[in-house]
Amino acid sequence: MKKPMSTSNQFGLYLNQGGTLEFKINPGANKQEFSLNGETFQIKRTGFLLNKTIIRNSKDETVLEVVGKKWWSSSYFITHNSKQFVLKLENKPLATYAIYENEKLFLSLGLITENHKPKSLFEGELANTPSLFHALLWYLLWPTLAENDAMIVLLAS
């Protein structure tokens, strides 16, 4: 990934695969739109306790789904292309969302501090991760990143 693009409520990343991920955040809205390599997607939290997150493509097809294991849990199941992954909210020592495949870290995005300044950190198999996972983690952690005015740092494993 290259340097992120950002303005007040518009954020973007240049992805390793040569594409871009752009969000126009509408604070307070339950549904957000983002563009991934020019294709528009919608991401929305649903359910009684908003414990389900769905990403739909421009044809209104569900392309990624996140469901909480239990209503009070900080662990979730992700379904993407008929494959199962696990998403966990962790403290390392600050808020981090991590996606695991077969108990191996696949991708994470978390808030860290460096020289008393907040930053966000992507870790994992950046080049081999579906771009929708980057979008999901960005969406989930965006409120924390925006609140802390965190810039992005990348660390590939």
Side-chain angles (χ1 to χ4, degrees), residues 28-47:
N30 191 29
K31 183 179 1 178
Q32 304 291 337
E33 286 192 1
F34 66 93
S35 171
L36 184 58
N37 300 325
E39 184 179 355
T40 301
F41 292 87
Q42 288 185 350
I43 188 167
K44 181 179 180 179
R45 285 192 168 166
T46 64

Side-chain angles (χ1 to χ4, degrees), residues 88-100 104-113 119 121 123-124:
K88 294 181 181 179
L89 175 58
E90 304 171 336
N91 292 314
K92 291 185 172 182
L94 302 172
T96 297
Y97 280 98
I99 298 173
Y100 292 90
K104 180 183 174 206
L105 178 65
F106 196 60
L107 181 70
S108 71
L109 175 61
L111 186 65
I112 62 170
T113 58
K119 293 184 177 186
L121 178 69
E123 291 185 285

